[in-house]
């Protein structure tokens, strides 16, 4: 049995990872400041004696004794990370320093939840790990993109300078149950809009692309990467390589919900990447990993989750009454 710290464990990805690592027979410590996460995501785990919850902001030091650390703490949706950009940067940078200092002291393996945003608005397509990216250092997405890039630098410097065992995962757009209904990400926005019969807000003309990975596949990838031999540091792309335009995504969600919501077009936000698709050859080669869940299958599960959530919130949240 390992003792594993998950920062950001009460968030969307973190809560699924807590579940998975407990099911695998580990002891899990979840540290979260509940900025975008919620107790609701992990409430079913609180009675488990092998699960511990700490209200903690990773920009402050944390002293615990653990074997492994998954560093997921950071708001992930553009709406949330732009709400307090300075705090977003502190979370990525000071959070990484503190968690790396902890990993160094207790000789724990540490995995960083990095992001496809390190590639910015990419000129190389699909994106491979060797591509350095095209990122605006002073735009409204920079607090997230540059924070995550700096965190990667810190991980590699702690590895080279102090011998810390690191794993860096570059996560591409992931979706599934427990995304927040109001966090502004495209999958949750479109599903909630479709279920309520509200207009579907497409930014730009909807010709920009993303590649959507279902959460269970992503969690398998994170756990698989942590288990690779010591010499493997990454960065490793984790995502589903099947690429869709945002308009195609809207059409799939309309078809699967049976909604008659209209499509409306809104201005494209600044620095919104035009295309994004992971090359996952490295993950396949290192751990035989590739996503198993097709978009429609994953969307159906996500739609059921939001349908239930909106139902619990009452008829007005569905736009009825
Ligand atoms: P999320 O917003 O649901 O989860 C982030 C969690 O971190 C929340 O529980 C939040 O309360 C917590 N948190 C934020 N700042 C904190 C701080 N200073 N101290 C402690 N906890 C803090 O987002 P998510 O989608 O679950 O993302 C998890 C991680 O994966 C993030 O690091 C994100 O950058 C990365 N990621 C996610 C995606 C995706 O598509 N979901 C893609 C790329 C990278
Ligand atoms: N740190 C932590 N928990 C630990 C050990 C360190 O939070 O168990 C923090 C500590 O506050 C420090 C940071 O990690 O600021 C970096 O630690 P490191 O040992 O690399 O640097 P130093 O302590 O020399 O600044
Ligand atoms: N998007 C959209 N309508 C929305 C929310 C997002 O068209 O209501 C677009 C957004 O402009 C981007 C894509 O969908 O091109 C993915 O956005 P998201 O915020 O989910 O993630 P990211 O841009 O970080 O990949």
């Amino acid at each position: 049995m390992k003792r594993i710290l998950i920062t950001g464990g009460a968030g969307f990805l973190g809560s699924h990872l807590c579940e998975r690592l407990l099911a695998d027979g580990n002891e899990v410590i979840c540290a979260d400041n509940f900025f975008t996460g919620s107790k609701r995501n992990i409430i079913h785990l609180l009675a488990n004696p092998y699960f511990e919850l700490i209200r903690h902001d990773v920009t402050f030091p944390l002293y615990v004794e653990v074997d492994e650390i998954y560093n997921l703490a950071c708001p992930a949706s553009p709406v949330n990370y732009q709400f307090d950009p300075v705090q977003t940067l502190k979370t990525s940078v000071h959070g990484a320093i503190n968690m790396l200092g902890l990993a160094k002291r207790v000789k724990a393996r540490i995995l960083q939840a990095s992001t496809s945003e390190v590639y910015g608005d990419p000129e190389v397509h699909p994106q491979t790990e060797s591509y350095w990216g095209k990122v605006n250092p002073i735009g409204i997405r920079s607090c997230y993109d540059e924070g995550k890039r700096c965190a990667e630098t810190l991980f590699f410097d702690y590895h080279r300078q102090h011998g810390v065992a690191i794993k860096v995962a570059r996560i591409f757009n992931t979706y599934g149950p427990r995304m927040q209904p109001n966090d502004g990400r495209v999958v949750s926005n479109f599903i909630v809009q479709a279920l309520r019969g509200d207009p579907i807000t497409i930014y730009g003309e909807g010709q920009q692309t993303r590649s959507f990975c279902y959460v269970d596949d992503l969690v398998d990838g994170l756990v698989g990467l942590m288990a690779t031999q010591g010499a493997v540091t990454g960065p490793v792309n984790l995502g589903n390589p099947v690429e869709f335009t945002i308009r195609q995504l809207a059409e799939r969600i309309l078809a699967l919900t049976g909604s008659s919501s209209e499509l409306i077009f809104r201005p494209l936000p600044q620095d919104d990447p035009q295309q994004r698709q992971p090359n996952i050859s490295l993950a396949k080669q290192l751990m035989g990993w590739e996503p198993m869940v097709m978009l429609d299958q994953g969307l159906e599960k996500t739609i059921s989750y939001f349908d239930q959530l909106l139902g619990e919130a009452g008829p007005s949240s569905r736009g009825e009454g």
Side-chain angles (χ1 to χ4, degrees):
M1 183 187 260
K2 286 185 200 133
R3 189 179 308 136
I4 303 176
L5 170 66
I6 305 177
T7 74
F12 159 51
L13 294 181
S15 61
H16 288 273
L17 186 60
C18 288
E19 251 170 20
R20 165 65 190 270
L21 293 173
L22 284 169
D24 288 351
N26 300 291
E27 204 176 319
V28 170
I29 301 176
C30 163
D32 203 296
N33 70 349
F34 300 112
F35 174 49
T36 54
S38 82
K39 276 198 188 147
R40 190 181 195 278
N41 288 341
I42 43 156
I43 201 151
H44 57 296
L45 304 177
L46 292 176
N48 186 328
Y50 296 107
F51 181 74
E52 241 175 293
L53 175 62
I54 307 176
R55 180 182 286 266
H56 179 77
D57 182 327
V58 293
T59 63
F60 297 99
L62 177 65
Y63 288 82
V64 286
E65 313 305 311
V66 291
D67 304 299
E68 291 178 353
I69 304 166
Y70 288 83
N71 188 36
L72 270 59
C74 186
S77 93
V79 170
N80 288 331
Y81 70 64
Q82 288 165 22
F83 173 76
D84 185 349
V86 173
Q87 173 67 11
T88 300
L89 266 165
K90 285 184 185 170
T91 294
S92 275
V93 177
H94 294 182
I97 292 173
N98 286 328
M99 293 308 108
L100 285 160
L102 169 62
K104 184 179 93 174
R105 182 180 62 80
V106 301
K107 299 189 173 47
R109 274 192 176 195
I110 179 166
L111 181 147
Q112 167 69 355
S114 190
T115 166
S116 52
E117 289 285 326
V118 301
Y119 301 122
D121 191 9
E123 301 135 305
V124 169
H125 194 75
Q127 291 78 57
T128 49
E129 291 86 352
S130 56
Y131 176 51
W132 290 354
K134 182 182 154 218
V135 176
N136 177 357
I138 57 169
I140 57 172
R141 293 176 86 100
S142 310
C143 61
Y144 184 73
D145 300 9
E146 297 290 19
K148 290 284 189 178
R149 285 168 67 96
C150 181
E152 286 199 9
T153 308
L154 283 161
F155 268 68
F156 278 84
D157 282 334
Y158 267 79
H159 174 65
R160 281 184 290 254
Q161 195 175 330
H162 298 301
V164 172
I166 61 158
K167 311 280 176 190
V168 174
R170 289 188 179 151
I171 302 170
F172 284 65
N173 296 66
T174 301
Y175 69 98
R178 302 200 197 119
M179 294 180 89
Q180 288 178 61
N182 59 349
D183 81 358
R185 284 189 264 196
V186 69
V187 174
S188 42
N189 266 11
F190 285 4
I191 291 177
V192 170
Q193 290 163 346
L195 290 174
R196 287 181 175 156
D198 291 343
I200 307 280
T201 52
I202 294 187
Y203 301 159
E205 290 169 13
Q207 291 311 307
Q208 70 272 36
T209 67
R210 294 293 187 273
S211 308
F212 299 99
C213 186
Y214 187 65
V215 60
D216 291 355
D217 282 333
L218 199 278
V219 166
D220 282 345
L222 292 176
V223 173
L225 180 58
M226 185 63 108
T228 50
Q229 54 174 293
V232 175
T233 57
V236 179
N237 287 341
L238 293 179
N240 191 319
V242 185
E243 186 180 6
F244 293 88
T245 66
I246 293 305
R247 187 171 180 134
Q248 284 171 329
L249 175 73
E251 282 160 1
R252 287 315 309 146
I253 289 174
L254 285 178
L256 292 169
T257 51
S259 167
S260 50
S261 289
E262 57 170 334
L263 303 182
I264 57 168
F265 294 85
R266 292 282 173 267
L268 193 66
Q270 188 196 333
D271 294 336
D272 199 281
Q274 270 308 301
Q275 52 180 6
R276 183 180 291 157
Q277 182 192 23
N279 175 318
I280 58 164
S281 309
L282 183 60
K284 274 189 193 162
Q285 178 206 320
L286 288 173
M287 45 187 177
W289 176 86
E290 64 182 313
M292 309 300 286
V293 181
M294 296 292 103
L295 184 68
D296 276 14
Q297 216 184 334
L299 285 177
E300 275 171 7
K301 294 185 191 192
T302 314
I303 289 166
S304 309
Y305 170 79
F306 280 112
D307 198 29
Q308 193 184 336
L309 191 76
L310 298 186
E312 284 166 19
S316 60
S317 72
R318 277 220 184 88
E320 301 157 10

